[in-house]
Amino acid sequence: MEKKQLGKTGIYTSAIGLGAMPMSLSDRPPESEAIKVIHRALDLGIAFIDTADSYCRDESDKHHNERLIHKALQTYHRDTSEVIVATKGGLMRPQGNWTRNGNPKHLQQAIRSSFEALGGNKPIDIWQYHAPDPNYTIEESLKPAKEAVAAGIVRFVGVSNFSVEQIQQAQGVIDIVSVQNQYNPWHRQPEFDGVLEYCEQEKLTFLPWSPFGGRRRYQNLQDIPVLTNLAQEKGVSVYCIVLAWLRAKSPCILPIPGASKISSIEDSARAVEIKLSALEVERIDRETAS
Ligand SMILES: NC(=O)c1ccc[n+]([C@@H]2O[C@H](COP(=O)([O-])OP(=O)(O)OC[C@H]3O[C@@H](n4cnc5c(N)ncnc54)[C@H](OP(=O)(O)O)[C@@H]3O)[C@@H](O)[C@H]2O)c1
């Protein structure tokens, strides 16, 4: 699998990652199946896994996804020490809903609990602040991450659902390695709000979340003619075309397609082989909503 540098860390990881969220929400597969999906991703050379403490059914199930990933890495037949696991904290799941919690005391505990759920024997590779909570300043909410880096519990810090201004505020507190915002054919805001450009300029890895529009919309990609036409021309799936399009948009992009089936991640991994011409990228740009 082609490699990509993580921010400007000098660490190279796979050019396509695995979004592990679909393996822990309410319609998740049995654990044994989910572990097979993660093992297959590793077989394919995927060495970047995105997770969060909140990828679970509700508060009583917190850290489900992190524990699952830890188990899968522990039971894999090859060395997994170079696999980057990027987790997040700052969202709560009361009764299965999603709410923000940027309280520094909560985040301090959340980081510690993620560290333990991921095995507790090496620092969290990347800890991302999941979404800014307007009840606290960015500085207040990122202080626990700064302390966790100093204490050796976290290696690198990233942010998610941040504007350029908020990224700059975060950089005033601590070095940032990645930014994770929504980016897909229906939601192209990072192209227009300056975040993508800023990530390129600052050499931050941009992780587009829900590259296929998420579980609600991924099948609707089949209804976008420019994608189905290109997929047919190249003999690949529309999913590969979308990932190739995202990768062509900026050298800082590392897509994290979600999967709960082996066939999904097998297909998505094929996208590294697909290169779109500038004209093909323009065709997609023109015919998808901004
Ligand atoms: N930071 C944030 O606020 C935030 C928000 C949402 C998501 N995320 C992250 O972004 C990741 C990706 O987003 P997502 O999981 O919401 O949605 P997504 O990647 O847009 O779509 C995921 C769904 O598409 C299907 N799929 C994936 N690859 C496929 C392929 N090649 N062929 C056919 N179907 C395919 C999967 O089906 P199966 O499940 O049947 O395999 C999967 O459930 C998440 O897993 C999570 O790590 C972050």
Side-chain angles (χ1 to χ4, degrees):
M1 164 84 64
E2 183 188 318
K3 304 267 187 213
K4 189 167 276 285
Q5 189 177 175
L6 196 59
K8 40 186 181 209
T9 61
I11 295 170
Y12 283 78
T13 190
S14 56
I16 289 190
L18 168 68
M21 183 172 79
M23 291 182 279
S24 286
L25 300 188
S26 48
D27 52 352
R28 67 196 183 202
E31 184 184 270
S32 57
E33 291 304 309
I35 287 178
K36 284 183 196 158
V37 174
I38 298 170
H39 285 177
R40 187 66 189 125
L42 298 170
D43 291 344
L44 295 162
I46 290 176
F48 186 99
I49 306 178
D50 183 70
T51 181
D53 61 354
S54 53
Y55 294 167
C56 58
R57 287 183 169 145
D58 56 32
E59 277 299 304
S60 67
D61 185 42
K62 209 84 185 260
H63 303 282
H64 177 277
N65 203 237
E66 295 169 324
R67 286 193 297 268
L68 172 75
I69 291 165
H70 175 60
K71 194 163 178 184
L73 293 177
Q74 287 281 96
T75 54
Y76 191 58
H77 63 283
R78 287 200 210 109
D79 177 33
T80 56
S81 57
E82 309 245 301
V83 175
I84 300 287
V85 178
T87 193
K88 311 182 200 77
L91 291 189
M92 311 286 284
R93 303 300 315 281
Q95 288 87 46
N97 295 316
W98 301 85
T99 59
R100 297 182 186 211
N101 188 349
N103 180 326
K105 279 211 172 68
H106 162 71
L107 291 173
Q108 189 183 35
Q109 184 53 47
I111 294 171
R112 166 58 63 180
S113 302
S114 287
F115 169 72
E116 282 161 12
L118 288 167
N121 50 11
K122 66 175 190 98
I124 295 171
D125 297 309
I126 306 179
W127 183 85
Q128 305 159 94
Y129 181 30
H130 209 144
D133 177 349
N135 296 310
Y136 301 90
T137 64
I138 303 275
E139 189 176 7
E140 285 171 322
S141 296
L142 278 178
K143 199 162 162 249
K146 187 178 174 156
E147 289 166 355
V149 171
I153 291 173
V154 168
R155 223 168 144 199
F156 302 114
V157 175
V159 294
S160 179
N161 301 301
F162 267 48
S163 66
V164 171
E165 198 188 340
Q166 290 165 331
I167 299 168
Q168 287 167 336
Q169 284 169 16
Q171 288 174 310
V173 181
I174 190 165
D175 272 347
I176 297 298
V177 74
S178 60
V179 175
Q180 182 171 153
N181 286 1
Q182 185 178 184
Y183 189 19
N184 57 49
W186 294 283
H187 186 97
R188 289 175 45 196
Q189 199 177 320
E191 289 176 38
F192 310 111
D193 64 9
V195 169
L196 207 47
E197 198 182 339
Y198 188 72
C199 287
E200 274 180 33
Q201 185 191 311
E202 294 287 304
K203 300 217 174 340
L204 304 172
T205 296
F206 183 89
L207 304 162
W209 65 254
S210 291
F212 307 138
R215 277 182 81 70
R216 237 175 358 98
R217 280 185 303 186
Y218 73 95
Q219 283 162 325
N220 301 352
L221 290 174
Q222 313 277 2
D223 303 330
I224 301 179
V226 64
L227 299 179
T228 50
N229 291 340
L230 278 168
Q232 205 169 13
E233 281 167 32
K234 293 179 185 292
V236 296
S237 69
V238 289
Y239 303 95
C240 284
I241 298 294
V242 169
L243 295 177
W245 168 70
L246 287 170
R247 276 166 41 75
K249 297 295 272 184
S250 165
C252 68
I253 289 190
L254 192 165
I256 46 165
S260 64
K261 292 198 190 82
I262 286 179
S263 56
S264 299
I265 197 60
E266 282 179 340
D267 182 65
S268 294
R270 274 181 218 125
V272 280
E273 311 298 337
I274 316 298
K275 299 277 177 274
L276 298 179
S277 69
L279 277 176
E280 288 167 335
V281 171
E282 264 176 47
R283 255 171 83 187
I284 299 176
D285 284 353
R286 243 193 339 266
E287 295 177 43
T288 55
S290 57

